[in-house]
Amino acid sequence: MAQINPSILSADFARLAEEAERVGGTDGADWLHVDVMDNHFVPNLTLGTPVVESLRKATDTPLDCHLMIEEPDRWAPAYIEAGAGSVTFHAEAAVAPVRLAREIRAKGARASMALKPATPVEPYEDLLPELDMLLVMTVEPGFGGQAFLDIMLPKIRRARRLIEKHGLQMWLQVDGGVSASTIERCAEAGADVFVAGSAVYSAEDPAAAVRALRAQAQVAAGGGRAG
């Protein structure tokens, strides 16, 4: 079942509660994707735990926090306490990824690890059983609205093969440039969770855009994954 996680990075920050509701409702967003950037790990600065805590109170849609920050080992637990249901840390930033994933799970959230475009998935094969989700970045992290990197499709396929090799039930997420013109290729390659920012929030009806993207992904996945 394909999941669509609208990224609030493309929302109106002055009206986040309303923006969360615009993508919610029946058959709306599966999760809200919250991009946390510290202007160190990536060249942008966004939001932190106070906004996550406020969002948690304003919406019933679970929060998927993507930590594009240094020292995720130190800061990740605070996002769970603020209300995140899923926390993603970057492999490139974590000091002890296994310990961090176990701590996230122990605190009641889903543990996810992200890989930047140049980071291969194969060295992390043994870590996969410790995770609930793997995120393959399909743009360089830091800014929304970037063009999808087609060269990431083989990496998505390799990640799916590793997940299936180990018989895992974990999700495979893609983030960056996901739109009506790219989501089918991602689904065919093996992704099943899709972060979409401008493709959702630039639409006249964001909730309808979520449903349309989900339908596209499910049809593409049903047609068989690329080998």
Side-chain angles (χ1 to χ4, degrees):
M1 185 72 173
Q3 299 186 58
I4 305 297
N5 299 9
S7 170
I8 65 167
L9 187 63
S10 296
D12 182 348
F13 274 29
R15 302 167 50 245
L16 281 184
E18 295 172 44
E19 295 285 71
E21 289 307 305
R22 289 177 73 205
V23 297
T26 304
D27 294 328
D30 296 283
W31 295 73
L32 276 180
H33 190 81
V34 182
D35 291 297
V36 178
M37 307 183 195
D38 63 0
N39 202 32
H40 292 284
F41 181 69
V42 293
N44 197 1
L45 183 65
T46 55
L47 47 81
T49 52
V51 174
V52 172
E53 189 171 357
S54 295
L55 266 176
R56 177 69 281 152
K57 295 174 182 176
T59 180
D60 293 329
T61 306
L63 304 180
D64 168 29
C65 287
H66 178 189
L67 306 185
M68 288 170 273
I69 63 175
E70 294 181 350
E71 299 187 86
D73 306 71
R74 175 184 178 187
W75 296 112
Y79 286 88
I80 303 169
E81 293 167 8
S86 175
V87 175
T88 300
F89 59 88
H90 267 265
E92 303 87 357
V95 174
V98 172
R99 183 175 63 195
L100 178 55
R102 290 180 178 180
E103 183 176 9
I104 291 170
R105 281 176 158 181
K107 289 183 177 295
R110 294 179 62 87
S112 172
M113 185 174 72
L115 303 174
K116 295 169 70 173
T119 303
V121 64
E122 288 79 7
Y124 298 97
E125 179 178 354
D126 291 342
L127 272 69
L128 297 182
E130 303 289 341
L131 303 170
D132 297 297
M133 183 169 73
L134 180 68
L135 167 55
V136 173
M137 293 297 299
T138 44
V139 298
E140 288 293 340
F143 293 93
Q146 298 183 63
F148 179 81
L149 295 174
D150 286 279
I151 58 172
M152 291 298 102
L153 291 170
K155 183 176 176 179
I156 297 169
R157 295 187 187 102
R158 294 196 302 272
R160 174 54 63 186
R161 284 197 290 267
L162 289 177
I163 290 169
E164 293 177 348
K165 172 184 174 182
H166 293 278
L168 302 173
Q169 298 301 311
M170 66 187 297
W171 299 342
L172 179 55
Q173 184 181 67
V174 290
D175 180 4
V178 174
S179 67
S181 64
T182 61
I183 194 168
E184 292 180 11
R185 281 174 281 165
C186 293
E188 289 166 356
D192 51 16
V193 183
F194 307 87
V195 177
S198 55
V200 169
Y201 277 110
S202 65
E204 184 175 340
D205 185 341
V210 167
R211 292 191 293 272
L213 287 169
R214 184 186 293 115
Q216 276 189 274
Q218 290 180 177
V219 169
R225 289 182 175 132

